[in-house]
Each structure stands twice: as structure tokens, then as C-alpha cells.
Amino acid sequence: MSLREGRLIYEGKAKRVYLISNDELIMEFKDEVTALDGARKEHAPGKGKLTASQTAFFMDYLTKSGIRTHFINWDGDRRIHVRRLRMIPVEVIVRNYAYGSFIRRMPLMKPLTRFTAPLVEFHLKNDGLHDPLILPEDIIEAELASMEQIMEVKSVALKVNQLLSELLSNHGLILVDFKLEFGVNGNGALVLADELSGDTMRILMNGKHLDKELFRMGGSVKELMEAYSTLNSILGLSL
Ligand code: C5P
């Protein structure tokens, strides 16, 4: 299905966003891979289609499982059609195992130690400040969201974790951690937005990353593309 062209309103490291009507957008996934806050950047032909397909697959699955998401449809290539929201500029990270920036701030724990219960973290979306960890109280004081919204964000994030962990585990995969972003629709309801792909999740298959960690660790674009293709074939996503 081809989606209507729209007006470019935002361009980030991995995506472009086009406005197609007052309440609908197109997210276009770029054939680029970046790491270390954009310090390492490479062209990756075919990657946009892989991350768009993964996002469409996970968002569709979550929608069918009762999570309110921004997803409408996928064009079969690099674009997905989504609802326009007022975005909350906070990255919500859910962790099942100690890894990544958690280990950097808590070096007392060994990588890949399983947490007794999943952790939910809030980070301010700000590349210049490297997305610092913030408290729920900071979000409320800065009027980015209300206490009720934060409580709902946390409970939806944990529900998403349960659904995705189970789905991946049924395919023999481990969900280490992932990042979510939320927005609010015209009715004031909280909606899960943005992306869900190997770029925003850590997924292990027999100890091997099927996610962007490969590239962060110095792996090649080819290795990354092979890992994303493996994830797609395990999930039964044909391109
Ligand atoms: O780097 P860190 O350990 O905080 O990342 C936790 C999870 O959030 C990882 O799955 C990573 O891919 C994701 N993440 C992201 N975008 C960011 C920061 C982290 O998708 N800006």
C-alpha cells in the first residue's frame, strides 16, 4: 500500500516525520545507523525497511493485545502511518537484565544479571545532555506530565514488557531492555508512540545480540543487517 506524501516536520538520526493531516503522520525509517550519540554513523541500505517492519510488527501485536498505540499501518517498505500526538519528551526504559547505561551507573552489578523485578527508568530526551536519568518528580515539576500520567506510563511500560518478553521468549529470544516514548492524543489519552525495533531494544539469541548493540560494540553494518534479518525471519516477518 502506498502512503500519501506529506510535509517534512522533523528529521532525526534514524527517522523523518511527515505531516499528512491534522492528526496523522508518516514516520520514515532511514537507511542509516548511528551510535554513540551520532558520533558513529554509517549508511545501511535496506535497514529502514527492516526497522519499519519490526516496529509495525511489534506495534500491531501490542495494539491487538489491548495497548493504545499510534500505529495505523505500514507501507511494506520504509514508512509507517501513525496518529499525531503531543509527545512527552521523556524516554522510558524498561530493563529485565543489568546492561548498558545501567552498568555504567551501577558498576557493582555484573552485566546480564536478571533483576528481581523489571526496572522502569525515565530519561530526559536531550541529545546534548546525553538523555540524563531523571526522577518522576522532575517530570512533574517541569510540567512535562502529571503524576497520574507518569503512573499510567509506568504501568503500560510494564505491561508492554510482559507482552514483548513473552512473545520473544516463545521464539527462544531474551528481551534484555528497551526504550519507549509516549504521547497524548486529542482526547487526553496516553498513547504508546515512536519505534520498537532492534535499534531500540536489546534482544539476545543464545547470547548473541540481534540488535544495535552489535554496531555500538564496533560491529559492521553487514553484521547488523544480518542480525536484523535473523530477527525478522525468527518472528516470521517476510519482506
Ligand atoms: O543505553 P541504555 O542501557 O540506557 O539503553 C537501554 C535500552 O534503551 C536499550 O535497549 C537501547 O537500545 C534503548 N535506547 C534507545 N534510545 C536511546 C537510549 C536507549 O532506544 N536514546
Side-chain angles (χ1 to χ4, degrees), residues 91 93 95 99-102 104 121 123 131 177-179 198-202 216:
E91 298 195 337
I93 292 179
R95 300 183 191 273
Y99 210 86
S101 72
F102 176 87
R104 290 197 289 280
E121 292 171 4
H123 293 250
D131 303 331
D177 54 28
F178 59 94
K179 187 260 307 181
D199 276 12
T200 65
M201 309 161 86
R202 288 193 180 101
R216 293 191 193 101

Side-chain angles (χ1 to χ4, degrees), residues 162-178:
Q162 211 173 41
L163 289 163
L164 295 183
S165 295
E166 212 172 276
L167 173 71
L168 292 168
S169 142
N170 289 341
H171 288 94
L173 304 175
I174 289 175
L175 180 58
V176 174
D177 54 28
F178 59 94

Side-chain angles (χ1 to χ4, degrees), residues 11 33 39 54 59 104 106 108 116 157 173:
E11 178 155 4
V33 53
Q54 292 167 2
M59 287 287 177
R104 290 197 289 280
M106 179 47 80
L108 302 177
T116 48
L173 304 175

